[in-house]
Amino acid sequence: MLWVKAFHIIAVITWFAGIFYLPRLYVYHAMADDQASRERFKIMERKLYRGIMWPAMMVVIALGLWLISFNPDYYLKSGWMHAKLTLVALLVGYHLYCGKLNRQFKDDQNSHSHVWFRWFNEVPVFILIGVVILVVVRPF
């Protein structure tokens, strides 16, 4: 079980690294004023989203389910776990929305400013804080 937990944490860190970095790329992409830069950002965004974030998210979910399977009676009756899984679902939604933004940038259809992306980049910080507190403190 500890090996599963260790790899789950590694996958979470990897996923969050991508979730924090991709919107930062969007900030710079939205500010780019030359075609070469925009094309470079498209490649970076695609590789980060498809090559790192998607696999990390899938590993997080798979290992998280595996961890729950070790003691489903406890985890599925715990309020903190329900709250945590709700936050994870929100993070998956954020991840998928990043994919939509990726497609908009790819098609040169972005309609958001770099300032909007700076605020958008802060959303997962609050999810991370909530998840860590729920897992460590288990307040309910």
Side-chain angles (χ1 to χ4, degrees), residues 43-90:
I43 292 167
M44 293 170 68
E45 292 156 0
R46 178 181 47 86
K47 287 183 176 185
L48 178 59
Y49 187 72
R50 291 185 185 167
I52 295 172
M53 289 172 62
W54 261 102
M57 180 182 70
M58 299 311 290
V59 171
V60 165
I61 292 169
L63 294 179
L65 292 172
W66 193 0
L67 286 167
I68 289 172
S69 77
F70 289 125
N71 192 354
D73 289 336
Y74 167 71
Y75 289 121
L76 296 178
K77 291 180 183 174
S78 299
W80 67 268
M81 179 57 79
H82 288 268
K84 176 195 169 192
L85 293 175
T86 300
L87 291 176
V88 171
L90 290 172

Side-chain angles (χ1 to χ4, degrees), residues 83-139:
K84 176 195 169 192
L85 293 175
T86 300
L87 291 176
V88 171
L90 290 172
L91 192 62
V92 169
Y94 183 91
H95 175 109
L96 295 173
Y97 188 68
C98 282
K100 178 182 177 183
L101 294 170
N102 236 14
R103 288 186 298 280
Q104 289 175 352
F105 272 117
K106 180 179 131 286
D107 297 334
D108 296 319
Q109 299 296 317
N110 172 49
S111 60
H112 301 292
S113 72
H114 68 92
V115 174
W116 187 89
F117 285 112
R118 289 177 196 277
W119 284 103
F120 178 72
N121 194 33
E122 301 305 319
V123 172
V125 171
F126 297 105
I127 295 173
L128 177 63
I129 291 168
V131 167
V132 169
I133 289 171
L134 288 167
V135 171
V136 173
V137 178
R138 297 183 183 184

